[in-house]
Amino acid sequence: MKFNKLVVLLEKTPLRVRAHIPEGARECDPELDMLVSDSRKAGNGSIFACVKGEHSDGHDYAVKAVDAGASAILCEHPVAGANVPQIICEDVRRNMGVVASTLYENPVEKLTMIALTGTAGKTTSSFMTRSILKNAGIKTGLLGTVYYNDGDTEEDADRTTPEGSELQMWLDRMVKNDCKACVMETSSHALSQGRLDGALYDRAGFTNLSVDHLDYHGDMESYFGAKQLLFEKYMRGNWRAAINIDNEYGVRLLEKYGSRVITYGIKNTGAMFFAKAVDRSIAGMKIEIRTPDSDSVSNVTLPLLGDHNILNALQALSLAWTLGIRNGTALSGLMNMDQVPGRLERYLIGGSGSCVIDFAHTPDELEKALNSLKPICKGKLYVVFGAGGDRDRSKRPMMGEIATRIADEVIITSDNPRTEDPAFITSEIEVGAKEHSSEYKVIVDRKEAMYDGLKSIGPDDILLIAGRGPERFQITNAGPVPFLDKDVVFDWCASQGKSIS
């Protein structure tokens, strides 16, 4: 798309823009085909978006992006030395999604858009929803914490919800790959920062809300307000939402949005989608599900662990139901789904016990993970976990208390320390761990802590490795270091000559 055409189209949107052509610009009406917010990704035909972040200002990198080949820039004021056409608007971060959507010719208009939000469960629920849609013959893209998938190829995600420019690029790739739907996780940070601007949704899911990100939002009410933006600002047409009414915040959403809501739960028997577990083992769960289509129950075997995953399954089923995908197709899509990376991802170790890797990094998530494993553990329940640096410190002692209250053996270690001293973080976790008499030890080195847990478990024991899930890099003061929990487990098994399945 030509620069001048893009400006004309943007003038028809709510976005207030003006074009600025610097004297001596190398080209006044260049051809544009992508928008980027990372100067390292700039190239011929790209627009570089000068995003102001917490630690840097993209305007300072505009000239570098132009030198790398950027054909235009999106900025909040004219940038001297960037001798390319410039689109000027008030807030680049909030508005680049609209610019990118216009540049890519509004890909959301060609997709059924499904957004999932909540503190926990977004990733698993998104994988479940996509598995059901795939089983129904609907090619679907996925954007979330683990990876981004355009229907044909996937890349590791660098954040739960992409920046507005990247989001629209992925949606455009989905359309070009003949996807008919997109399932994506929407974080509270993305919602409050306006990263979703330029996108609208047909379906939404709310999993739950519990303590997390209070270092960013300040308090639970502000955190809830950020989540609620999805429903207030980003829905379109005859939208519907699947809401967990076992959660008090879900009840508040039901009260506000009424007939648009499909309810689900495992405690509230009045929910439209209701289920309960009838058998649990390390291999999965047998559950009974009641849906609006019938008063009778359907029996399903889920290859997953944890009652919270029953809730995630109900959300996926209820979203599919609003799209006309009924029980048989939907249930088989659930039963045949793959394990979700880093979400109670279980492995049986020959001659030892079972190892479960989970992303649980909040008090609520850690408690759910441990409570999911405790009833099916025939021996001792071990846990290796830590807490992230430069994040909400209030949850550290809470996680320590939860670990020693539920688990039999606790190993406190490093997570992603970032700029903090890992030993200081573990000392704050210890404050809570000391509230109970359960055994615990501190091994700051995460690999050493995992090895200690793995060599300790017997045939009937379960080891939970919590906190990082599918993350491929450990973030330290020296920068990112390659570290995938799953790789450490497999390396230990190989060194001990043990099989793993």
Side-chain angles (χ1 to χ4, degrees):
M1 182 181 295
K2 289 287 189 177
F3 174 85
N4 289 333
K5 180 181 178 182
L6 176 60
V7 172
V8 169
L9 291 174
L10 289 173
E11 289 173 344
K12 296 178 182 178
T13 71
L15 180 61
R16 295 170 57 189
V17 302
R18 66 183 178 92
H20 170 66
I21 311 295
E23 186 176 346
R26 65 190 184 202
E27 187 176 351
C28 294
D29 191 23
E31 186 73 32
L32 305 170
D33 57 18
M34 66 184 300
L35 189 149
V36 299
S37 55
D38 184 336
S39 61
R40 293 168 295 184
K41 297 180 181 179
N44 187 44
S46 68
I47 306 172
F48 173 67
C50 303
V51 176
K52 289 183 178 179
E54 293 180 29
H55 307 293
S56 63
D57 185 344
H59 293 80
D60 297 334
Y61 297 88
V63 173
K64 180 180 179 181
V66 171
D67 290 344
S71 301
I73 63 172
L74 177 67
C75 49
E76 295 174 11
H77 55 75
V79 179
N83 295 322
V84 294
Q86 303 177 13
I87 300 173
I88 300 174
C89 64
E90 291 183 354
D91 187 330
V92 169
R93 166 164 261 165
R94 286 191 172 276
N95 292 320
M96 67 178 170
V98 177
V99 176
S101 177
T102 305
L103 179 65
Y104 296 124
E105 299 181 342
N106 304 310
V108 296
E109 294 180 358
K110 307 172 185 74
L111 295 164
T112 296
M113 296 289 294
I114 303 169
L116 306 179
T117 200
T119 301
K122 298 186 297 297
T123 298
T124 302
S125 197
S126 66
F127 272 75
M128 288 176 163
T129 303
R130 186 168 184 250
S131 182
I132 292 172
L133 293 175
K134 179 181 178 182
N135 200 51
I138 302 170
K139 191 173 184 179
T140 304
L142 178 72
L143 300 172
T145 304
V146 179
Y147 57 68
Y148 305 148
N149 184 294
D150 63 12
D152 288 349
T153 60
E154 64 188 43
E155 297 176 12
D156 288 344
D158 58 1
R159 62 183 70 194
T160 297
T161 309
E163 288 283 6
S165 56
E166 195 176 4
L167 167 59
Q168 296 295 332
M169 179 269 290
W170 278 97
L171 295 177
D172 180 57
R173 285 172 57 168
M174 291 177 198
V175 170
K176 289 176 178 175
N177 289 336
D178 296 321
C179 287
K180 302 304 178 186
C182 167
V183 178
M184 64 176 287
E185 300 178 49
T186 57
S187 69
S188 58
H189 289 70
L191 286 159
S192 62
Q193 292 170 0
R195 283 189 236 154
L196 270 62
D197 285 18
L200 293 172
Y201 299 86
D202 304 287
R203 298 291 184 270
F206 176 81
T207 58
N208 50 63
L209 199 75
S210 61
V211 176
D212 199 13
H213 304 307
L214 297 191
D215 55 324
Y216 181 83
H217 295 291
D219 54 58
M220 287 299 293
E221 201 59 29
S222 298
Y223 183 27
F224 177 59
K227 295 292 189 184
Q228 195 169 343
L229 284 173
L230 174 62
F231 306 92
E232 292 179 346
K233 185 176 179 181
Y234 295 105
M235 303 308 295
R236 67 180 174 188
N238 187 29
W239 64 271
R240 306 294 297 277
I243 304 293
N244 171 16
I245 58 171
D246 285 351
N247 185 269
E248 61 178 299
Y249 293 96
V251 173
R252 288 173 61 178
L253 291 174
L254 170 61
E255 291 171 349
K256 183 163 186 175
Y257 299 110
S259 61
R260 291 189 181 273
V261 173
I262 306 298
T263 61
Y264 69 90
I266 59 175
K267 296 178 182 177
N268 192 320
T269 57
M272 297 171 67
F273 283 77
F274 178 80
K276 64 178 181 179
V278 294
D279 189 30
R280 299 176 178 87
S281 71
I282 192 65
M285 300 179 290
K286 292 181 180 178
I287 61 176
E288 293 179 347
I289 298 177
R290 189 192 70 233
T291 73
D293 287 335
S294 173
D295 290 333
S296 60
V297 297
S298 299
N299 294 300
V300 180
T301 300
L302 277 181
L304 299 169
L305 306 173
D307 283 2
H308 60 286
N309 275 327
I310 302 177
L311 285 168
N312 293 331
L314 290 176
Q315 179 176 94
L317 287 170
S318 52
L319 286 170
W321 184 81
T322 69
L323 296 171
I325 304 172
R326 293 304 189 246
N327 287 6
T329 301
L331 293 175
S332 62
L334 283 179
M335 290 187 287
N336 296 318
M337 69 177 290
D338 297 328
Q339 284 202 87
V340 182
R343 299 308 191 274
L344 289 180
E345 185 180 359
R346 67 197 183 286
Y347 294 98
L348 306 181
I349 300 173
S352 295
S354 302
C355 175
V356 176
I357 299 171
D358 193 78
F359 191 51
H361 60 285
T362 70
D364 182 65
E365 291 172 348
L366 182 62
E367 186 165 20
K368 284 178 178 176
L370 289 168
N371 280 334
S372 297
L373 299 175
K374 191 72 171 179
I376 61 175
C377 184
K378 297 177 181 179
K380 285 187 175 182
L381 176 58
Y382 289 72
V383 61
V384 173
F385 79 103
D390 300 334
R391 296 294 187 269
D392 182 8
R393 290 173 57 188
S394 68
K395 67 183 182 183
R396 295 173 186 175
M398 296 166 65
M399 294 175 73
E401 183 277 326
I402 288 166
T404 53
R405 170 163 47 88
I406 302 173
D408 301 299
E409 302 282 347
V410 175
I411 303 173
I412 301 170
T413 189
S414 180
D415 190 290
N416 289 314
R418 298 181 176 87
T419 65
E420 287 194 69
D421 178 1
F424 174 73
I425 298 174
T426 59
S427 72
E428 294 202 319
I429 297 172
E430 278 191 89
V431 172
K434 292 175 180 177
E435 293 186 23
H436 303 286
S437 59
S438 293
E439 294 284 334
Y440 81 86
K441 63 177 72 172
V442 177
I443 303 176
V444 174
D445 183 272
R446 189 174 181 88
K447 181 177 179 180
E448 183 183 343
M450 291 173 61
Y451 274 23
D452 189 84
L454 287 164
K455 73 180 182 182
S456 300
I457 57 174
D460 292 328
D461 300 335
I462 296 177
L463 168 65
L464 171 65
I465 300 171
R468 302 188 61 255
E471 292 179 347
R472 294 183 178 275
F473 293 88
Q474 186 176 37
I475 311 303
T476 71
N477 194 36
V481 178
F483 195 111
L484 179 65
D485 286 354
K486 178 180 173 180
D487 285 348
V488 175
V489 173
F490 274 68
D491 288 346
W492 182 85
C493 289
S495 71
Q496 302 298 310
K498 292 180 178 289
S499 63
I500 185 168
S501 60

